[in-house]
């Protein structure tokens, strides 16, 4: 297949593009390469995939020097004219949209970044998928959409109308927008609610990266809610395997769906929502201990109150993923952290 993967200078998009390339798909990667976090990491991901930093220019397609079936373009999703031209020229079979303004706390101070990228950018993707007859759009949602829900594990059949950050609200909006296009125009769409993704080439604003960096530098780590938190940490390779299975299996209309007793994760339109998580919540202090054990260094902890927009616990119900796609993430925290730290030491020569 010929697949557009947006966000390929980003964490998950980088790993997904490489897996698709390895299995023989033709991939066009797209990313705006914004400065939300250290662009050195973003360019490092691109270089790994054979995209030379010096060759990157806005709206210019570059061929990989490493993979004959990979090309990259720097482009903003908000740039509708050039995005439409890309769809028209390249004639994609499927699209996986992982490009977005990420981060819960950043949304408290930079709200318009989320409207521009996650709302305006996403409607441009939907319009392109509609007019250029894309066979399947898979896109990143987030476990953040569960907001102040307290019933656990979080199920895709739960109501998610109470987000507590603009980031979460923008992801919920994406799901609603996608359903509209599935219903009105028959565009098959699948939303993927990712649960706390970690692993090699991870984001510098995420806990594992921040903790590892601080511990190695002999600095204290910030531990929110006095450490009384749980997260359904999910290894990036497990996330990617789930995405690929979803891409290969476009949703069909659910003939049993009823508006009288509706399941929000499915529809009479070709629309579906999945959780992708390890389904095994880990206490934050246990996560930190696993990092300490792998580094052989004890962390100095700066215990802080809960931050606005954060939730005390996440836990994914992945029963749909298991029943529909025969898949359940299973990489252990110990192995995942070991792999990340090995990458970190190599990348930063620590």
């Amino acid at each position: 297949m010929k697949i557009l993967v947006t966000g390929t200078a980003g964490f998950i998009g980088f790993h997904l593009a490489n897996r698709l390339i390895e299995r023989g798909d033709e991939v066009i990667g797209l990313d705006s390469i914004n400065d939300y976090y250290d662009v050195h990491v973003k360019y490092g991901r691109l270089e790994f995939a054979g995209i030379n930093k010096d060759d990157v220019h806005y709206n210019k397609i570059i061929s990989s020097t490493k993979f004959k079936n990979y090309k990259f373009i720097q482009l903003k999703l908000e740039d509708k004219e050039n995005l439409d031209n890309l769809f028209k020229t390249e004639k994609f079979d499927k699209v996986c949209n992982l490009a977005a303004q990420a981060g819960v706390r950043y949304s408290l101070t930079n709200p318009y970044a989320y409207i521009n990228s996650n709302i305006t950018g996403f409607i441009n993707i939907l319009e392109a998928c509609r007019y250029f007859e894309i066979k399947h759009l898979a896109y990143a949602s987030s476990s953040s959409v569960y907001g102040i829900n307290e019933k656990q594990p979080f199920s895709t059949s739960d109501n998610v109308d109470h987000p507590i950050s603009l980031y979460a609200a923008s992801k919920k909006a994406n799901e609603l927008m996608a359903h509209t296009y599935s219903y009105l125009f028959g565009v098959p769409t699948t939303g993927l609610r990712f649960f706390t993704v970690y692993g090699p080439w991870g984001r510098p604003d995420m806990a594992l990266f921040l903790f590892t960096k601080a511990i190695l530098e002999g600095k204290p780590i910030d531990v929110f809610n006095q450490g009384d938190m749980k997260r359904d940490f999910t290894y990036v390779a497990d996330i990617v395997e789930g995405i690929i299975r979803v891409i290969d299996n476009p949703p069909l209309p659910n003939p049993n769906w009823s508006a009288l007793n509706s399941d929000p994760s499915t529809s009479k339109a070709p629309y579906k929502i999945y959780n992708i998580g390890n389904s095994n919540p880990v206490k934050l202090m246990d996560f930190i201990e696993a990092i300490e054990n792998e580094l052989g260094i004890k962390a100095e902890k700066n215990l802080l109150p809960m931050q606005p927009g954060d939730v005390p616990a996440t836990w994914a119900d992945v029963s749909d993923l298991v029943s529909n796609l025969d898949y359940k993430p299973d990489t252990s925290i110990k192995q995942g952290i070991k792999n990340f730290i090995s990458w970190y030491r190599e990348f930063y020569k620590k």
Side-chain angles (χ1 to χ4, degrees):
M1 294 181 291
K2 188 170 189 179
I3 303 175
L4 171 66
V5 179
T6 71
T8 50
F11 176 33
I12 302 173
F14 158 77
H15 283 281
L16 175 64
N18 279 280
R19 277 285 305 280
L20 292 171
I21 292 162
E22 287 169 4
R23 77 169 192 172
D25 291 309
E26 184 179 353
V27 177
I28 304 288
L30 178 153
D31 204 290
S32 67
I33 318 181
N34 67 24
D35 61 358
Y36 167 63
Y37 61 76
D38 184 8
V39 295
H40 175 62
V41 178
K42 296 185 178 186
Y43 281 116
R45 296 178 185 130
L46 291 176
E47 293 276 357
F48 184 90
I51 302 298
N52 191 310
K53 173 184 176 181
D54 295 333
D55 294 334
V56 174
H57 300 285
Y58 191 77
N59 197 35
K60 176 188 174 186
I61 294 181
I62 310 161
S63 295
S64 168
T65 59
K66 188 174 180 180
F67 303 109
K68 68 179 187 301
N69 53 333
Y70 182 51
K71 295 178 182 177
F72 174 80
I73 183 169
Q74 183 186 18
L75 195 64
K76 293 182 178 181
L77 297 185
E78 306 96 292
D79 186 348
K80 178 172 169 50
E81 181 180 355
N82 284 316
L83 187 67
D84 284 348
N85 286 337
L86 180 69
F87 272 76
K88 182 178 180 180
T89 302
E90 296 297 331
K91 297 179 172 57
F92 303 112
D93 295 305
K94 297 182 179 181
V95 174
C96 185
N97 183 54
L98 302 177
Q101 179 56 59
V104 168
R105 293 180 192 123
Y106 190 72
S107 70
L108 302 177
T109 54
N110 297 272
Y112 289 99
Y114 293 79
I115 301 303
N116 293 336
S117 179
N118 300 5
I119 304 299
T120 302
F122 192 65
I123 193 64
N124 289 343
I125 286 285
L126 285 169
E127 280 284 278
C129 289
R130 169 192 176 187
Y131 282 106
F132 295 99
E133 300 181 343
I134 298 302
K135 297 171 185 173
H136 186 197
L137 167 64
Y139 61 94
S141 184
S142 169
S143 61
S144 296
V145 301
Y146 289 102
I148 57 175
N149 285 26
E150 293 186 358
K151 174 181 150 301
Q152 295 210 2
F154 294 149
S155 169
T156 54
S157 63
D158 295 338
N159 176 288
V160 287
D161 285 343
H162 299 89
I164 56 172
S165 70
L166 187 64
Y167 169 68
S170 73
K171 290 299 186 178
K172 166 68 172 174
N174 286 173
E175 296 178 1
L176 296 173
M177 294 159 72
H179 182 266
T180 303
Y181 273 68
S182 294
Y183 184 85
L184 291 176
F185 311 117
V187 179
T189 66
T190 306
L192 304 170
R193 295 175 179 169
F194 301 139
F195 280 70
T196 317
V197 190
Y198 75 101
W201 295 98
R203 276 174 31 205
D205 63 320
M206 296 291 282
L208 177 54
F209 201 113
L210 291 169
F211 291 165
T212 300
K213 182 175 187 294
I215 292 169
L216 284 172
E217 293 175 356
K219 297 176 181 177
I221 62 174
D222 290 339
V223 182
F224 297 111
N225 202 36
Q226 316 300 319
D228 185 19
M229 300 175 80
K230 288 184 178 181
R231 286 291 180 269
D232 201 344
F233 293 101
T234 312
Y235 189 62
V236 65
D238 292 346
I239 291 283
V240 167
E241 177 62 28
I243 297 171
I244 287 177
R245 293 194 186 211
V246 163
I247 289 172
D248 291 345
N249 292 275
L252 297 172
N254 180 357
N256 299 317
W257 189 88
S258 168
L260 297 175
N261 186 23
S262 62
D263 176 355
S265 73
T266 183
S267 172
K268 59 173 139 183
Y271 169 88
K272 182 63 183 165
I273 300 290
Y274 287 106
N275 287 334
I276 304 186
N278 212 51
S279 197
N280 182 28
V282 174
K283 292 179 181 178
L284 181 58
M285 298 305 264
D286 291 344
F287 186 73
I288 292 169
E289 184 180 0
I291 300 170
E292 293 172 327
N293 291 340
E294 185 60 34
L295 290 173
I297 306 171
K298 201 73 177 171
E300 180 186 345
K301 301 173 186 70
N302 183 23
L303 300 179
L304 297 169
M306 179 77 89
Q307 297 295 288
D310 271 358
V311 296
T314 62
W315 180 4
D317 177 345
V318 294
S319 52
D320 277 4
L321 199 67
V322 174
S323 60
N324 295 351
L325 302 176
D326 192 28
Y327 180 64
K328 184 181 184 300
D330 62 2
T331 300
S332 69
I333 286 293
K334 182 178 179 181
Q335 185 61 52
I337 287 174
K338 180 178 181 178
N339 293 350
F340 170 81
I341 290 174
S342 176
W343 166 80
Y344 185 94
R345 288 186 182 280
E346 171 63 26
F347 188 73
Y348 288 100
K349 309 301 180 189
K350 298 279 186 178

